[in-house]
Amino acid sequence: GFNDVTSPSGTYYQIWSGSAPTINYGSDGLAKFDQVVASAKAHGLRLIITLTNNWSDYGGMDVYVTQILGSSYHDLFYTDQSVIQAFKNYVAVWINRYRNEPTILAWELANEPRCRGSTGITSGNCTTATITQWVKDISAYIKSLDSCRLVSIGDEGFGLPGDGTYPYTYAEGVDFPTNLAISTIDFGTAHLYPYAWGETSDPTGWGSSWITYHVAVQQQLNKPVILEEFGVPSGQLATYTTWLSTVVSSGMSGDLIWQAGSNLSNGASWNDGYAIYPGDATYTLLTQHAAALKARG
């Protein structure tokens, strides 16, 4: 649910001219997303709509900060009132458009919010309290517009009791249990990329522990937690077999794959190193796992 640009290019939802954003309702904007919703409905799927990106892909938070404030401090996205209002304006467009659409399961605040973005440049003032306050504000605003949809944060699940390795720390400004406890957050998300996070000595075992530690918070707060993204660049079948078994046995509420590939008429869809395509053994594993989750009830 995000794609911010400063000049027309392909599909985009919001275009910026100086500090003034304009929503693109056209066939290369929200009208195209209408097609996504229609396809999901036709296939019996429900969508979680993520409303901005921590990273520079497809614009994201830094576009707001750069265009409105002329700043490179990523964390001002969470604290500057003019930026917050611009984001709320954008959120309202999506909610007003799809408020009565049952295909939308949930609104998600951001993809992987952190104090630091793609450039790593911050004001130096961002802490867990910064992001927690932002989560409270934006999630309450969403609930004021749409009390029927679930709301999630979209964070990676950093900052919780565990083995003390980097992802368990609060270094990125995320406090998973505190944020999940916010009354206007309905379910928690965790991502799992051990290689990207420097956990390479036993990525499979480390990942299973990551799942179980998040389930402990799920049980403590009595709120669902899903493994929203996960991936390893090699050895997927063996690693995913273990991780998905842990999801089922631990009682984690569910999981989603990054990323699902497709075999199109003009070739395979884009692969960032994690894609899984129909016909391979890992794809078969995922279909079996989906059946196991449904059987668990």
Side-chain angles (χ1 to χ4, degrees), residues 2 52-57 59-62 74 78 110-118 131 156:
F2 56 84
T52 191
N53 196 10
N54 188 74
W55 313 109
S56 59
D57 308 89
M61 297 179 181
D62 288 336
H74 177 79
Y78 305 112
N111 174 53
E112 302 184 340
R114 300 184 182 188
C115 282
R116 295 179 291 179
S118 294
I131 292 181
E156 295 149 287

Side-chain angles (χ1 to χ4, degrees), residues 35 68 74 106-107 113 135 153 155 167 172 183 188 194 199 204 207 231 240 255-256 279 294:
Q35 298 175 29
I68 295 173
H74 177 79
W107 302 110
V135 170
I153 300 170
D155 61 300
E172 301 297 347
S183 62
E199 306 303 328
T204 302
Y240 295 176
D255 56 86
L256 303 169
K294 290 180 180 179

Side-chain angles (χ1 to χ4, degrees), residues 16 24 27-28 35 66 71 84 87 96-97 118 121 127 161 177 187 210 226 240 261 269 277 283:
W16 291 80
N24 178 13
S27 60
D28 55 357
Q35 298 175 29
T66 299
S71 175
I84 290 171
F87 181 55
N96 290 333
R97 189 174 186 89
S118 294
I121 301 173
T127 67
F187 66 93
W210 181 251
I226 64 171
Y240 295 176
S269 62
Y277 296 92
Y283 181 89

Side-chain angles (χ1 to χ4, degrees), residues 140-152:
Y141 177 69
I142 290 175
K143 288 289 190 180
S144 75
L145 298 177
D146 182 1
S147 60
C148 295
R149 298 291 177 288
L150 300 174
V151 175
S152 62

Side-chain angles (χ1 to χ4, degrees), residues 2-16:
F2 56 84
N3 196 351
D4 289 273
V5 298
T6 54
S7 60
S9 178
T11 300
Y12 64 95
Y13 303 132
Q14 187 165 232
I15 187 169
W16 291 80

Side-chain angles (χ1 to χ4, degrees), residues 78-79 81 84 109 127-139 178-179 182:
Y78 305 112
T79 58
Q81 290 306 307
I84 290 171
L109 273 57
T127 67
T128 56
T130 305
I131 292 181
T132 296
Q133 180 56 47
W134 178 80
V135 170
K136 288 179 179 178
D137 181 22
I138 301 300
S139 61
T178 296
N179 293 342
I182 294 169

